[in-house]
Amino acid sequence: MDATTLGSVLALVGVLSGAVVAFVGKRSENAITGYSSLTDNLQEERDRLDRQVTERDARLAELASLRAVDQAEIARLRALIIQLGGTP
């Protein structure tokens, strides 16, 4: 093998290894971008679900308060019925 052929082979190996590195690098970049996108989507979904849970908790607290008021009214009316001589 003369020097020109050896130089050509080495240049070919360099070009091929550069292409492989670029290919692997691009795949890694795509994977990282996809992972970041997935992470962002999961965080947005988690935040949305947290808001829903907070809203439901507030609604449950409101309903519990209304139930307590209703129970107190029922107890007052039962006492009034008993006081008037009826049976609840």
Side-chain angles (χ1 to χ4, degrees), residues 6-83:
L6 182 60
S8 296
V9 169
L10 289 177
L12 177 64
V13 169
V15 168
L16 289 176
S17 64
V20 168
V21 167
F23 175 74
V24 170
K26 188 64 176 176
R27 284 185 52 139
S28 297
E29 179 184 334
N30 289 341
I32 289 171
T33 302
Y35 180 75
S36 296
S37 176
L38 177 63
T39 302
D40 291 342
N41 290 342
L42 288 173
Q43 288 174 346
E44 288 173 10
E45 183 177 353
R46 182 201 62 211
D47 293 342
R48 181 180 53 84
L49 291 174
D50 284 345
R51 283 192 302 275
Q52 285 181 350
V53 167
T54 302
E55 290 169 2
R56 287 184 185 150
D57 287 347
R59 179 67 178 148
L60 284 174
E62 179 185 351
L63 292 174
S65 173
L66 291 174
R67 183 175 188 272
V69 170
D70 288 345
Q71 292 295 323
E73 181 66 11
I74 290 170
R76 185 187 72 79
L77 291 174
R78 282 187 181 174
L80 183 61
I81 290 171
I82 292 171
Q83 183 182 10

